[in-house]
Amino acid sequence: QVHLVESGGGLVQAGDSLRLSCAVSGRTFNSYAMGWFRQAPGKEREFVTALSWSGDRVSYADSVQGRFSISRDNAKNTVYLQMNSLKPEDTAVYYCALILGSGLSSKTSEYDYWGQGTQVTVSS
């Protein structure tokens, strides 16, 4: 069994920053990519960013490019999402997800494990 636990969400004002963390525990794998997704009320879950195991490949949604940054510490089995210049439209539940192997993906269906989510609320 694999467990992904997000933390770091909260209520902030527009322009503020937050850093989310996602800790992976349970089974170990040779390599896996990690992604962040978000889901706002009444909307579908959408891709935010993803990072390969080695960190040499990264992908961002256009809406967060230049403001958000993904990183990982494989020794700690933890991935981070640094969110700067937050906007009210960034308000959502943020989920981390794991995809086995080396491929990156923006599709929810291709991820193998998911966390329970953490709420991020940005006030104007």
Side-chain angles (χ1 to χ4, degrees):
Q1 186 65 296
V2 177
H3 298 281
L4 280 64
V5 179
E6 302 96 336
S7 61
L11 171 63
V12 297
Q13 294 186 333
D16 286 350
S17 298
L18 271 179
R19 189 177 81 154
L20 306 182
S21 299
C22 173
V24 181
S25 62
R27 284 183 58 190
T28 59
F29 305 102
N30 290 332
S31 66
Y32 54 86
M34 294 294 298
W36 287 96
F37 291 76
R38 65 187 182 186
Q39 188 166 18
K43 295 186 177 181
E44 293 187 354
R45 193 168 299 188
E46 65 174 6
F47 172 76
V48 176
T49 181
L51 181 66
S52 63
W53 168 262
S54 62
D56 61 338
R57 286 175 294 124
V58 63
S59 177
Y60 291 99
D62 290 343
S63 59
V64 306
Q65 179 77 47
R67 298 189 298 122
F68 290 12
S69 177
I70 186 173
S71 61
R72 64 190 296 167
D73 184 337
N74 289 337
K76 296 182 178 178
N77 292 320
T78 301
V79 65
Y80 305 97
L81 180 63
Q82 178 67 42
M83 305 185 294
N84 299 326
S85 302
L86 283 162
K87 304 175 181 180
E89 51 263 44
D90 294 319
T91 295
V93 176
Y94 283 71
Y95 299 89
C96 66
L98 182 155
I99 183 169
L100 295 173
S102 59
L104 296 185
S105 177
S106 61
K107 299 179 181 179
T108 58
S109 60
E110 295 188 359
Y111 283 77
D112 298 289
Y113 300 96
W114 289 84
Q116 83 290 346
T118 185
Q119 177 71 47
V120 172
T121 303
V122 185
S123 63
S124 58

